[in-house]
Amino acid sequence: EDQVLTMLRGQLVEIISGAVFLFMGLAACSIAAIRRRSGVRLFVWLGVWSTTYGAGLLTESPAVVAALPHSFQMGVPYVNTVIAYLTVVVAFLAFLELSLGKVRLLIEIVIFAGIAVALAGIGWFAFGGSAGKFIPYNHLVTVCGLVVIVTVVTVKKLSDKFLVLLNRRVLAVGTLLFTVEALWVNLSRPLHYQTPYFLGHLAFAVFLLSFGYVAVQIVFANERRLLSIENELEVARQLQFSILPTTIPEVGNLRIAVAYRPMTAVAGDFYEFIPIDRKRVGFLVADVTGHGVPAALIASMIKVAMQSVVPCAHDPRGVLRGLNRILFRQLHDQLVSAAYLWLDTENRRALYSAAGHPPLLRWREGKLE
């Protein structure tokens, strides 16, 4: 019992640190699973990064390993090897979500190099070799990646250009503390100077929390942006429905029914009636290419332009020509297809013209024409 207590006291820092990092990582992954919206991948990689670091600390503790079932103990060396090589890859995958342009390309190169070293190291160990055979190459990849990240994060011009950050200072402080601690540990080893383990865990915790703080800021900013867009779309949707006819004209010997179901919140579909009297009426159906606010704005322009072609409502070709003349210079890259139907129930006459619109469907004597 004394030996067990002594062993636990010596490993207490690693066990507590590993449990904390493991909990933080699982919490981040849970948040990503619940949200399933913008910024999810950033939280996923951040969670996996913290989880692998914490799991590595726990599996390196003899006390924790001794408490595991015997079948699990056999796989611990393989787990440690995988974590040792892939933690770096996961860390740079998290940074990849913050990078832009050429820096993103550099980080992708570092990631591919880290994956290659990891495959070689894990494969070498799986076939009976030493687990640390390729660790020096793994450290080299880590140093190269850290040089890129530290340079970009600390230089404001570079971070403004190549990183998606709302608060550069927090991440810069965390990155510098972690880098200084890592350099100190590597320089003190040749001098046989023992650095307290908790300093490394503390530096990594500060680094991880600064990264998480930036990630939360980005997610909240995206949420505010999405909320603003949704509010604008709702206003545009209300405006679009306001330009549609509110009543159906009453025409003798004719029954009119309308159904309007846009595919998105705001669409470019439009229809309008031109009632002349109880025996004559015109129907316009138009479709603006694309979806969203631009298409809805063009549809509102068609609504206004229709007032100018009312005098030629009896002439479908004249209606479409008039709309084309009015809207041609306003559409730019947008394309509008339209169809116009004129019905005269007194003289039993129907005239139809289309401009790029699918033909009408006519139901006659139980058949669709």
Side-chain angles (χ1 to χ4, degrees), residues 44-340:
V44 168
W45 292 124
L46 187 64
V48 174
W49 186 10
S50 180
T51 301
T52 53
Y53 187 86
L57 293 178
L58 292 176
T59 54
E60 288 177 358
S61 170
V64 174
V65 174
L68 295 174
H70 181 71
S71 57
F72 286 5
Q73 294 180 11
M74 300 296 293
V76 167
Y78 296 94
V79 173
N80 288 336
T81 303
V82 171
I83 291 175
Y85 283 103
L86 290 183
T87 300
V88 174
V89 176
V90 174
F92 287 117
L93 283 170
F95 267 102
L96 188 65
E97 298 299 320
L98 300 178
S99 59
L100 300 169
K102 295 180 179 180
V103 170
R104 185 177 182 86
L105 178 61
L106 290 175
I107 294 179
E108 287 176 346
I109 293 173
V110 171
I111 290 172
F112 285 126
I115 292 174
V117 173
L119 291 175
I122 295 171
W124 183 268
F125 178 72
F127 286 99
S130 172
K133 175 70 174 180
F134 291 88
I135 286 296
Y137 301 102
N138 185 267
H139 290 166
L140 179 62
V141 171
T142 304
V143 171
C144 293
L146 278 176
V147 168
V148 174
I149 290 172
V150 171
T151 303
V152 175
V153 171
T154 53
V155 179
K156 188 177 186 305
K157 290 184 178 179
L158 295 178
S159 61
D160 292 342
K161 185 177 180 180
F162 297 113
L163 293 180
V164 183
L165 292 178
L166 299 178
N167 193 326
R168 181 185 64 87
R169 295 180 180 178
V170 174
L171 185 60
V173 170
T175 304
L176 285 174
L177 285 177
F178 178 73
T179 304
V180 168
E181 191 278 334
L183 289 174
W184 171 254
V185 169
N186 285 279
L187 291 175
S188 62
R189 284 177 181 173
L191 301 176
H192 303 287
Y193 179 78
Q194 187 68 27
T195 304
Y197 285 110
F198 76 91
L199 290 180
H201 304 330
L202 182 61
F204 180 74
V206 172
F207 181 42
L208 199 64
L209 290 174
S210 66
F211 196 98
Y213 176 77
V214 171
V216 170
Q217 276 197 321
I218 293 173
V219 169
F220 283 167
N222 290 337
E223 288 290 335
R224 289 192 294 268
R225 190 180 300 111
L226 287 175
L227 183 61
S228 175
I229 293 173
E230 289 176 358
N231 292 335
E232 291 178 1
L233 286 176
E234 180 59 27
V235 173
R237 181 174 179 273
Q238 295 176 2
L239 291 174
Q240 181 185 23
F241 275 89
S242 68
I243 67 174
L244 296 176
T246 56
T247 59
I248 296 177
E250 295 182 2
V251 181
N253 301 320
L254 185 66
R255 186 174 62 183
I256 303 172
V258 176
Y260 184 81
R261 296 179 181 177
M263 293 180 60
T264 56
V266 183
D269 303 306
F270 174 77
Y271 69 91
E272 178 67 295
F273 303 120
I274 306 181
I276 303 302
D277 51 35
R278 292 184 61 84
K279 297 179 180 179
R280 294 174 297 171
V281 63
F283 304 90
L284 175 76
V285 178
D287 183 13
V288 183
T289 55
H291 300 279
V293 176
L297 291 176
I298 298 297
S300 64
M301 294 170 60
I302 299 174
K303 171 76 173 182
V304 176
M306 282 295 294
Q307 306 303 317
S308 303
V309 296
V310 171
C312 56
H314 62 282
D315 180 12
R317 183 169 55 182
V319 169
L320 296 184
R321 282 180 174 176
L323 291 176
N324 182 67
R325 182 177 61 256
I326 296 171
L327 299 174
F328 177 74
R329 297 184 182 278
Q330 311 297 328
L331 296 180
H332 301 292
D333 296 331
Q334 295 289 97
L335 177 66
V336 179
S337 63
Y340 183 79

Side-chain angles (χ1 to χ4, degrees), residues 1-15 60-67:
E1 292 179 357
D2 293 338
Q3 291 177 350
V4 171
L5 290 175
T6 303
M7 182 174 62
L8 286 175
R9 291 192 189 98
Q11 301 167 19
L12 193 59
V13 174
E14 282 71 20
I15 295 174
E60 288 177 358
S61 170
V64 174
V65 174

